[in-house]
Amino acid sequence: RGEHQARQTEIRSDLIAWLEPEQAPAPLAAYLGHLESLRQEANRALWLGLFDYEIHAALYPDGAHYGRHLDRFRDDDARTLTAILYLNDDWTEADGGLLRFYPQGLEGPTVEVLPKRGTFVSFLSADYWHEVLPARRPRLALTGWFRRRK
């Protein structure tokens, strides 16, 4: 991050574009409205202290992947809840690009999620390892993080 940012394509080969909520076109603004409702409900039910949201569009070209990782930075614990919305029509397992999720830790069983249009995935950013398997055709997702104050 910042001046220490480095691009390591052996770990991550997707392309991202950060999105600014105040400049969002109508469909994105509607989605952000749903996320705001989720933020309020998560704070009410789970006491997470979420106060804002950062989001980007992630495009995985043919062959792109993202190695196993957590979504919270080692030196910044603001990211609390990850939210992903997949935007891919007619996606099949043969297209690759599945989200491999480790719900019981790295030694436990995995769950794979097909990145099919309309599929929504959310999890605690610091607690769950996950990776994106290599895509065999372009794959698109809106990925973001609800943050708490530092």
Side-chain angles (χ1 to χ4, degrees):
R1 291 180 309 122
E3 65 187 45
H4 302 290
Q5 182 176 355
R7 182 124 175 104
Q8 297 178 331
T9 56
E10 67 277 3
I11 297 171
R12 178 180 193 171
S13 55
D14 62 329
L15 305 169
I16 62 170
W18 290 97
L19 305 174
E20 299 298 330
E22 60 276 357
Q23 300 170 356
L28 179 58
Y31 175 61
L32 293 173
H34 291 296
L35 289 177
E36 175 58 19
S37 296
L38 175 62
R39 183 191 70 80
Q40 291 175 12
E41 184 60 23
N43 281 342
R44 186 195 64 73
L46 304 173
W47 298 73
L48 292 178
L50 308 174
F51 81 99
D52 77 349
Y53 186 73
E54 59 182 343
I55 185 172
H56 66 56
L59 172 65
Y60 288 75
D62 188 8
H65 69 286
Y66 195 159
R68 195 170 48 201
H69 65 284
L70 295 170
D71 280 351
R72 185 176 281 177
F73 297 117
R74 286 184 294 247
D75 63 344
D76 182 350
D77 68 354
R79 284 185 178 175
T80 303
L81 188 66
T82 299
I84 306 167
L85 178 65
Y86 294 109
L87 305 173
N88 308 291
D89 287 327
D90 305 317
W91 202 269
T92 68
E93 246 183 85
D95 295 319
L98 281 72
L99 173 70
R100 180 174 286 157
F101 192 71
Y102 297 80
Q104 297 176 19
L106 295 177
E107 302 305 318
T110 62
V111 174
E112 292 182 348
V113 178
L114 195 67
K116 187 173 161 183
R117 177 186 287 273
T119 300
F120 179 80
V121 178
S122 187
F123 52 89
L124 294 171
S125 304
D127 295 344
Y128 294 100
W129 288 89
H130 57 286
E131 63 185 307
V132 176
L133 302 179
R136 294 190 192 98
R137 70 177 176 116
R139 171 195 186 273
L140 185 61
L142 295 176
T143 303
W145 303 270
F146 291 97
R147 299 182 315 164
R148 63 182 182 183
R149 288 183 173 83
K150 295 181 184 180

Coordinates of all heavy atoms in Angstrom, one line a residue, residues 29-68:
A29 N -25.2 2.6 -8.0 CA -25.8 3.3 -6.8 C -26.8 2.4 -6.1 O -26.9 2.4 -4.9 CB -26.4 4.6 -7.3
A30 N -27.6 1.7 -6.9 CA -28.6 0.8 -6.3 C -28.0 -0.3 -5.5 O -28.4 -0.6 -4.4 CB -29.5 0.2 -7.4
Y31 N -26.9 -0.9 -6.1 CA -26.2 -1.9 -5.3 C -25.6 -1.4 -4.0 O -25.7 -2.0 -3.0 CB -25.1 -2.5 -6.2 CG -24.2 -3.5 -5.5 CD1 -24.7 -4.7 -5.0 CD2 -22.8 -3.3 -5.4 CE1 -23.9 -5.6 -4.4 CE2 -22.0 -4.2 -4.8 CZ -22.5 -5.4 -4.3 OH -21.7 -6.3 -3.6
L32 N -25.0 -0.2 -4.1 CA -24.4 0.4 -2.9 C -25.5 0.7 -1.9 O -25.2 0.6 -0.7 CB -23.7 1.7 -3.3 CG -22.4 1.5 -4.2 CD1 -21.8 2.8 -4.6 CD2 -21.4 0.7 -3.4
G33 N -26.7 1.0 -2.3 CA -27.8 1.2 -1.4 C -28.1 -0.1 -0.6 O -28.4 -0.1 0.6
H34 N -28.1 -1.2 -1.3 CA -28.3 -2.5 -0.7 C -27.1 -2.8 0.3 O -27.4 -3.4 1.4 CB -28.3 -3.7 -1.7 CG -29.6 -3.6 -2.6 ND1 -30.8 -3.8 -2.1 CD2 -29.7 -3.4 -3.9 CE1 -31.7 -3.7 -3.0 NE2 -31.1 -3.5 -4.2
L35 N -25.9 -2.5 -0.1 CA -24.8 -2.7 0.8 C -24.9 -1.8 2.1 O -24.6 -2.2 3.2 CB -23.5 -2.4 0.1 CG -23.1 -3.4 -0.9 CD1 -21.8 -2.9 -1.6 CD2 -22.9 -4.8 -0.4
E36 N -25.5 -0.6 1.9 CA -25.7 0.2 3.1 C -26.7 -0.4 4.0 O -26.5 -0.4 5.3 CB -26.2 1.6 2.7 CG -26.5 2.5 3.8 CD -25.4 2.8 4.8 OE1 -24.2 2.6 4.5 OE2 -25.7 3.2 6.0
S37 N -27.7 -1.0 3.5 CA -28.7 -1.8 4.3 C -28.0 -2.9 5.1 O -28.2 -3.2 6.2 CB -29.8 -2.3 3.5 OG -30.6 -1.2 3.0
L38 N -27.1 -3.6 4.3 CA -26.3 -4.7 4.9 C -25.4 -4.2 6.1 O -25.3 -4.8 7.1 CB -25.5 -5.5 3.9 CG -24.6 -6.5 4.4 CD1 -25.4 -7.7 5.1 CD2 -23.8 -7.1 3.2
R39 N -24.8 -3.1 5.8 CA -23.9 -2.5 6.8 C -24.7 -2.2 8.1 O -24.3 -2.5 9.2 CB -23.3 -1.2 6.3 CG -22.3 -0.5 7.3 CD -21.8 0.8 6.9 NE -22.9 1.8 7.0 CZ -23.3 2.4 8.1 NH1 -22.7 2.1 9.3 NH2 -24.3 3.3 8.2
Q40 N -25.9 -1.6 8.0 CA -26.7 -1.2 9.1 C -27.1 -2.5 9.9 O -27.1 -2.5 11.1 CB -27.9 -0.4 8.7 CG -27.5 1.0 8.2 CD -28.7 1.8 7.7 OE1 -29.8 1.4 7.8 NE2 -28.4 2.9 7.0
E41 N -27.5 -3.5 9.1 CA -28.0 -4.7 9.8 C -26.9 -5.4 10.5 O -27.0 -6.0 11.6 CB -28.7 -5.6 8.8 CG -29.3 -6.9 9.4 CD -30.4 -6.6 10.4 OE1 -31.0 -5.5 10.4 OE2 -30.6 -7.5 11.2
A42 N -25.7 -5.5 9.8 CA -24.5 -6.1 10.4 C -24.1 -5.4 11.7 O -23.8 -6.0 12.7 CB -23.4 -6.2 9.5
N43 N -24.2 -4.1 11.7 CA -23.9 -3.3 12.9 C -24.9 -3.6 14.0 O -24.5 -3.8 15.2 CB -23.8 -1.8 12.6 CG -22.5 -1.4 12.0 OD1 -21.5 -2.2 12.1 ND2 -22.4 -0.3 11.4
R44 N -26.2 -3.7 13.6 CA -27.2 -3.9 14.6 C -27.1 -5.3 15.2 O -27.1 -5.5 16.4 CB -28.6 -3.7 14.0 CG -29.7 -3.8 15.0 CD -31.1 -3.9 14.3 NE -31.2 -5.2 13.6 CZ -31.4 -6.4 14.2 NH1 -31.4 -6.5 15.5 NH2 -31.5 -7.5 13.5
A45 N -27.0 -6.3 14.4 CA -27.0 -7.7 14.8 C -25.7 -8.2 15.4 O -25.6 -9.0 16.3 CB -27.5 -8.6 13.7
L46 N -24.6 -7.7 14.8 CA -23.3 -8.3 15.1 C -22.3 -7.3 15.8 O -21.2 -7.7 16.2 CB -22.6 -8.8 13.9 CG -23.4 -9.8 13.1 CD1 -22.7 -10.2 11.8 CD2 -23.6 -11.1 13.9
W47 N -22.7 -6.1 16.0 CA -21.9 -5.0 16.7 C -20.5 -4.9 16.0 O -19.5 -4.9 16.7 CB -21.8 -5.4 18.2 CG -23.1 -5.4 18.9 CD1 -24.1 -6.3 18.8 CD2 -23.6 -4.4 19.8 NE1 -25.1 -6.0 19.6 CE2 -24.8 -4.8 20.2 CE3 -23.1 -3.2 20.3 CZ2 -25.6 -4.1 21.1 CZ3 -23.8 -2.5 21.2 CH2 -25.1 -2.9 21.6
L48 N -20.5 -4.8 14.7 CA -19.2 -4.8 14.0 C -18.6 -3.4 14.0 O -17.4 -3.2 13.7 CB -19.3 -5.3 12.6 CG -19.6 -6.8 12.5 CD1 -19.8 -7.3 11.1 CD2 -18.5 -7.6 13.3
G49 N -19.3 -2.3 14.2 CA -18.8 -1.0 14.1 C -18.4 -0.5 12.7 O -17.4 0.2 12.6
L50 N -19.1 -1.0 11.7 CA -18.7 -0.7 10.3 C -19.2 0.7 10.0 O -20.3 1.1 10.3 CB -19.4 -1.7 9.4 CG -19.2 -3.1 9.6 CD1 -20.0 -4.0 8.7 CD2 -17.7 -3.5 9.5
F51 N -18.3 1.6 9.4 CA -18.7 2.9 9.1 C -18.6 3.3 7.7 O -19.2 4.3 7.3 CB -17.9 3.9 10.0 CG -16.5 4.2 9.5 CD1 -16.3 5.4 8.8 CD2 -15.5 3.3 9.7 CE1 -15.0 5.7 8.3 CE2 -14.2 3.6 9.3 CZ -14.0 4.8 8.6
D52 N -17.8 2.6 6.9 CA -17.8 3.0 5.4 C -17.4 1.8 4.6 O -17.3 0.7 5.1 CB -16.8 4.2 5.2 CG -15.4 3.8 5.2 OD1 -15.0 2.7 5.6 OD2 -14.6 4.7 4.7
Y53 N -17.3 2.0 3.3 CA -17.2 0.9 2.4 C -16.2 1.4 1.2 O -16.3 2.5 0.8 CB -18.5 0.6 1.8 CG -18.6 -0.6 0.9 CD1 -18.4 -1.9 1.4 CD2 -18.7 -0.5 -0.5 CE1 -18.5 -3.0 0.6 CE2 -18.8 -1.6 -1.3 CZ -18.6 -2.9 -0.8 OH -18.7 -4.0 -1.6
E54 N -15.3 0.5 0.9 CA -14.5 0.7 -0.3 C -14.7 -0.4 -1.3 O -15.0 -1.5 -0.9 CB -13.0 0.8 0.1 CG -12.4 -0.5 0.7 CD -11.0 -0.3 1.1 OE1 -10.3 0.6 0.7 OE2 -10.5 -1.2 1.9
I55 N -14.7 0.0 -2.6 CA -15.1 -1.0 -3.6 C -14.3 -0.8 -4.9 O -13.9 0.3 -5.2 CB -16.6 -0.9 -3.9 CG1 -17.1 -1.9 -4.9 CG2 -17.0 0.5 -4.4 CD1 -18.6 -2.0 -5.1
H56 N -14.0 -2.0 -5.5 CA -13.4 -1.9 -6.9 C -14.0 -3.0 -7.8 O -14.7 -3.9 -7.3 CB -11.9 -2.0 -6.8 CG -11.3 -3.3 -6.4 ND1 -11.6 -4.6 -6.9 CD2 -10.5 -3.6 -5.4 CE1 -11.0 -5.5 -6.3 NE2 -10.3 -5.0 -5.4
A57 N -13.9 -2.7 -9.1 CA -14.3 -3.7 -10.0 C -13.0 -4.5 -10.3 O -11.9 -4.0 -10.5 CB -14.8 -3.1 -11.3
A58 N -13.1 -5.9 -10.3 CA -12.0 -6.7 -10.6 C -12.2 -7.5 -11.8 O -13.2 -8.3 -11.9 CB -11.7 -7.6 -9.4
L59 N -11.3 -7.4 -12.8 CA -11.4 -8.2 -14.0 C -10.3 -9.2 -14.0 O -9.1 -8.8 -13.9 CB -11.3 -7.2 -15.2 CG -11.2 -8.0 -16.6 CD1 -12.5 -8.7 -16.9 CD2 -10.9 -7.0 -17.7
Y60 N -10.6 -10.4 -14.2 CA -9.6 -11.5 -14.3 C -9.6 -11.9 -15.8 O -10.5 -12.6 -16.3 CB -10.0 -12.7 -13.5 CG -9.8 -12.5 -12.0 CD1 -10.7 -11.7 -11.3 CD2 -8.8 -13.0 -11.3 CE1 -10.6 -11.5 -9.9 CE2 -8.6 -12.8 -10.0 CZ -9.5 -12.0 -9.3 OH -9.3 -11.8 -7.9
P61 N -8.6 -11.5 -16.6 CA -8.5 -11.9 -17.9 C -8.2 -13.4 -18.0 O -7.9 -14.1 -17.0 CB -7.3 -11.2 -18.5 CG -7.0 -10.1 -17.5 CD -7.5 -10.6 -16.2
D62 N -8.3 -14.0 -19.1 CA -8.1 -15.4 -19.3 C -6.7 -15.8 -18.7 O -5.7 -15.2 -19.0 CB -8.1 -15.8 -20.8 CG -8.0 -17.2 -21.1 OD1 -8.1 -18.1 -20.2 OD2 -7.8 -17.6 -22.3
G63 N -6.7 -16.8 -17.8 CA -5.5 -17.2 -17.1 C -5.2 -16.5 -15.8 O -4.3 -16.9 -15.0
A64 N -5.9 -15.4 -15.5 CA -5.6 -14.7 -14.3 C -6.1 -15.4 -13.0 O -7.1 -16.2 -13.1 CB -6.3 -13.3 -14.3
H65 N -5.5 -15.1 -11.9 CA -5.8 -15.8 -10.6 C -5.5 -14.8 -9.5 O -4.9 -13.8 -9.7 CB -4.9 -17.0 -10.5 CG -3.5 -16.7 -10.3 ND1 -2.7 -16.2 -11.3 CD2 -2.7 -16.7 -9.2 CE1 -1.5 -16.0 -10.8 NE2 -1.5 -16.3 -9.6
Y66 N -5.8 -15.3 -8.3 CA -5.3 -14.5 -7.1 C -5.1 -15.6 -6.0 O -6.0 -16.3 -5.6 CB -6.4 -13.6 -6.6 CG -6.0 -12.5 -5.6 CD1 -6.8 -11.4 -5.4 CD2 -4.9 -12.7 -4.8 CE1 -6.4 -10.4 -4.5 CE2 -4.5 -11.7 -3.8 CZ -5.3 -10.6 -3.7 OH -4.9 -9.7 -2.8
G67 N -3.8 -15.7 -5.6 CA -3.4 -16.8 -4.6 C -4.1 -16.6 -3.3 O -4.7 -15.6 -3.0
R68 N -3.9 -17.6 -2.5 CA -4.5 -17.7 -1.2 C -4.2 -16.5 -0.3 O -3.0 -16.2 -0.2 CB -4.1 -19.0 -0.5 CG -4.9 -19.5 0.6 CD -4.5 -20.9 1.0 NE -3.1 -21.1 1.1 CZ -2.5 -22.2 1.1 NH1 -3.2 -23.3 0.9 NH2 -1.2 -22.3 1.2

